[in-house]
Amino acid sequence: MSGRVPRRAGGGRAPLHRVPRAGREDVLYRHQLLRVRGRSVAWVPPLLLLIGIMAIDFNSTGKFRIISWIVLVPGIAAAICGLWGTAAFAALALGAYVIGDQSWPHQYQNGLPDFILVAVGGVLAVLACAVRLRGERRMLHMRDIADTTRRTVLRPLPPGWGGLDHAAVYLASDVEARVGGDFYDVQPGPHGTRVLLGDVQGKGLGAVEAAAALLGAFREAGYHEASLITIAERLEIRMTRHREHTAALGRDDGERFATAVLLGFPEDCPDAVDVVVFGHEPPLVVGPAGVRTLPPGDGLPLGLADLTDEGPPPVHRVPVAPGETLLLTTDGVTEARNDDGAFYPLLVDVAGAVAADPGTADPRRLVALVRDDTLRHCGRRLADDATIFAVRRVTSGRPGRVRLPS
């Protein structure tokens, strides 16, 4: 299967939300497969099975009776139908057994033992269906909780937020959890728009807590502080305070740190971006003219500043031409491996796509490309959470100034 995003008629790639997402089949996807034009067709397979068993039994010899196989009908219904549908098929199977068996001469009838088998099978199928539906409801509830947690940490970003075109995809390596330690946000303010993307070391709820703490600090400092260095210091202090708090609670995850990239889009310099790198992979600048890598920076990950006396990492101002997109990813992308153990060649892949179609530099198309090619490369088996975030200035004008509340 091709890793490229499917094209629409007339050119251009399909919208990001219409491209098939990664992950295992869940209950909603199965239910979609059992619907035609909005109507459920889950009753069709067990009904066809019942009719087939009746037809074969009617046309077989007395020495080859398969009417007792009708016990499979409520079993199939229990797997795909609702509770009342399963109960209906259990009753229908029992009635069909009686009719089918009684249509044969006495010496060929299966009689009471198989009647009891079909009856018990129907009851067990109804009970199994009830257990299945309860489990599905629980799973959907837990997924709603995970989605709410994810929206709390990774809040939805309005189109053109802060004067930036942006697109993002988050892929959790734990499909059931659907949330992890990757984080990103865009914060407009009176001093320009700031962008933060990072990856907390480790997994689980502890990583989510650390990500939420850093995002909270960024949203406040990114709005109020004029200097990107000050924002970097605030993030470092917040990570240190979070580690001290978890250590005081006696938890064993108090040694967490986070790699991150902090971007600033200054209003007084629309053709440049300020970059601070905290031990993270530097962003790629993707444009019609090609792809280049921003300076890697020499900053330590957030939470490890006490290992050096050098202070916060420096701010690099990098020229960015109109129409160029900054592509930021976490290591779930760059460390995705194929069956041969080779890492996903992000730079080579993006450069080849842009050379073939310069329009790939659009944030939505770029994120969709990297997402699909990453999943293709690793066979949809991510070893770590993967976040892909692309952002560029709105080409129709400069970012709007956000006023301080009076």
Side-chain angles (χ1 to χ4, degrees):
M1 181 179 64
S2 173
R4 296 288 186 263
V5 182
R7 293 182 179 274
R8 295 173 292 181
R13 295 186 183 273
L16 189 59
H17 69 278
R18 296 182 182 176
V19 180
R21 298 181 61 183
R24 290 176 285 181
E25 294 180 352
D26 59 14
V27 59
L28 292 182
Y29 183 64
R30 292 199 305 271
H31 286 177
Q32 290 173 359
L33 291 179
L34 296 173
R35 301 186 74 86
V36 175
R37 296 182 179 179
R39 296 182 179 273
S40 175
V41 293
W43 53 271
V44 173
L47 181 61
L48 291 178
L49 179 63
L50 186 148
I51 295 173
I53 291 175
M54 292 287 291
I56 294 174
D57 184 76
F58 182 79
N59 291 283
S60 62
T61 65
K63 295 182 179 180
F64 186 72
R65 298 290 314 284
I66 66 167
I67 190 61
S68 58
W69 291 15
I70 211 166
V71 71
L72 297 175
V73 172
I76 296 298
I80 59 178
C81 295
L83 187 62
W84 289 109
T86 302
F89 273 109
L92 187 62
L94 191 61
Y97 171 81
V98 173
I99 296 173
D101 197 43
Q102 291 294 325
S103 64
W104 285 83
H106 178 74
Q107 65 270 25
Y108 296 118
Q109 293 179 5
N110 291 341
L112 182 62
D114 284 359
F115 175 85
I116 296 175
L117 172 66
V118 175
V120 173
V123 172
L124 293 178
V126 173
L127 294 176
C129 181
V131 172
R132 189 204 96 213
L133 294 175
R134 182 179 179 182
E136 289 182 353
R137 285 193 295 268
R138 180 177 177 84
M139 186 197 73
L140 291 174
H141 178 65
M142 295 302 296
R143 193 178 71 169
D144 288 341
I145 294 175
D147 287 342
T148 301
T149 303
R150 182 176 61 182
R151 287 194 300 269
T152 301
V153 177
L154 304 178
R155 61 179 180 177
L157 299 175
W161 184 238
L164 302 178
D165 286 331
H166 57 80
V169 165
Y170 170 74
L171 301 172
S173 58
D174 185 347
V175 179
E176 298 300 328
R178 301 168 67 89
V179 66
D182 289 5
F183 58 93
Y184 62 86
D185 201 8
V186 176
Q187 181 57 60
H191 308 290
T193 300
R194 278 70 186 265
V195 174
L196 178 68
L197 177 138
D199 182 8
V200 176
Q201 175 263 336
K203 298 182 179 180
L205 292 178
V208 178
E209 291 177 355
L214 289 172
L215 283 173
F218 167 72
R219 288 163 185 166
E220 289 301 310
Y223 180 87
H224 292 288
E225 301 297 340
S227 170
L228 224 59
I229 287 293
T230 304
I231 300 174
E233 292 173 343
R234 292 285 188 90
L235 292 173
E236 177 62 37
I237 292 172
R238 187 67 187 92
M239 190 66 193
T240 301
R241 290 173 55 202
H242 179 77
R243 291 174 56 187
E244 291 174 351
H245 178 258
T246 55
L249 292 175
R251 288 165 39 178
D252 58 0
D253 59 347
E255 298 301 319
R256 292 189 187 274
F257 59 86
T259 63
V261 176
L262 176 62
L263 304 178
F265 291 83
E267 291 188 329
D268 59 351
C269 191
D271 296 330
V273 62
D274 296 329
V275 185
V276 181
V277 180
F278 303 92
H280 199 87
E281 289 286 336
L284 298 179
V285 180
V286 183
V291 182
R292 69 180 191 277
T293 304
L294 291 185
D298 50 7
L300 292 175
L302 294 168
L304 301 181
D306 54 352
L307 299 180
T308 180
D309 298 327
E310 297 180 358
V315 177
H316 297 279
R317 175 158 290 188
V318 180
V320 177
E324 287 189 322
T325 299
L326 283 85
L327 175 65
L328 301 89
T329 63
T330 58
D331 56 10
V333 174
T334 55
E335 295 181 4
R337 296 174 181 263
N338 61 12
D339 293 337
D340 297 328
F343 292 114
Y344 168 57
L346 174 63
L347 179 59
V348 174
D349 188 60
V350 173
V354 172
D357 181 4
T360 304
D362 175 78
R364 292 178 63 82
R365 295 179 58 185
L366 184 60
V367 166
L369 167 80
V370 176
R371 179 197 60 187
D372 288 354
D373 284 3
T374 300
L375 294 173
R376 174 189 52 78
H377 181 81
C378 67
R380 295 180 176 267
R381 297 184 298 272
L382 290 170
D384 195 4
D385 299 339
T387 298
I388 310 158
F389 188 81
V391 61
R392 69 182 178 187
R393 291 184 188 267
V394 174
T395 55
S396 59
R398 295 174 58 185
R401 174 178 292 271
V402 178
R403 296 182 179 179
L404 286 168
S406 58

